[in-house]
Every structure is written in structure tokens, then in C-alpha cells.
Amino acid sequence: MIGAILLAVGLSVSFLGYQELQDTHSLLENGERTQAKVVTVNYLSPSQQGKTASYIPTVAWKSKEGKNIEVVAGFSSPDSSSYHIGDTFTVTYDLNKPETRYYITQQGSIPTPRFTDYITMIIGAVLGVFGMLFIRKRRTSHYS
């Protein structure tokens, strides 16, 4: 029973991760590209002793329609000198949802999905494998 549940959850999570990844690929292929500038660098203090602080840039750009967009980037650095006000990044955004559907990459780099974009699929695959192992173990112990 546990194996079947894990397998079903794993397949579902993998499917959602796959859809998310396809959505990212679609945005990167079809989205509008422009330059975004760092307007602030936020300091995120460590939540636990022994952990390092993070510096997260907030970037701003003007959409094709002339709308000013400002968002917190989806990445950070433990090094305080990594980001400076005025630094530029490439932003690829959805013309219909520029505030919520965007992808920010380093200036000059080709926008491609990052490892973190694959996490949901990986988690789903791991759950699915554990589910199959539970099912297999139960079947082999049942016949022994």
C-alpha cells in the first residue's frame, strides 16, 4: 500500500515538475528579453547560527508596454560584493504577466534552465523509485 502511494505521488510530482520545466523552456524561447538593473541589494541574515548570510538583488526594468517592473531576483550570493546597484542582468519575461512570469540571468549568458528548475522532477522520480522498491520488496517477501 505504501509503495503504491509513493509511486502515485512520485509520478504526479514528476509530471508537475515536467510541466513546470516545459513552461520555463517556453518562456525562455518565446518571452520578451530586455536588460534589468539592480536597484537594491537585500541582506538576508542567517536563520541559524553557523549559517551564512545571503545578498539578494532586486532588479527593475521597463516592459515593452512601458510598465515599470521591480522584482526580487530568484538567486542570491553569500558574498556581499557579488551585486552592486546599477549592475545589469538579462530578464526574459511574459508580455502578459511580466510581474510574475520572468527569468533573470547573468548579463551575456544564454538563458537556460538552472539545476533548481529540475528539483521537482527529481523529487518525484526519487519518490517513484522508493515506491517501486516498496512494491518489489513486498512482492518478493510475499513469495518467500
Side-chain angles (χ1 to χ4, degrees), residues 43-64:
Y43 171 75
L44 183 62
S45 63
S47 58
Q48 297 175 349
Q49 204 169 27
K51 299 274 182 173
T52 59
S54 293
Y55 296 88
I56 306 168
T58 298
V59 299
W61 73 91
K62 188 173 281 223
S63 71
K64 191 173 183 177

Side-chain angles (χ1 to χ4, degrees), residues 6 46 60 71 92 133:
L6 282 174
V71 299
T92 306
L133 290 173

Side-chain angles (χ1 to χ4, degrees), residues 34-41 56-62 68-73 75 83-91 104-105 107:
T34 192
Q35 301 306 306
K37 288 197 181 246
V38 174
V39 292
T40 60
V41 178
I56 306 168
T58 298
V59 299
W61 73 91
K62 188 173 281 223
N68 291 319
I69 311 292
E70 188 172 307
V71 299
V72 175
F75 48 83
Y83 311 114
H84 301 94
I85 294 175
D87 287 351
T88 57
F89 288 91
T90 300
V91 62
I104 302 167
T105 54
Q107 183 72 16

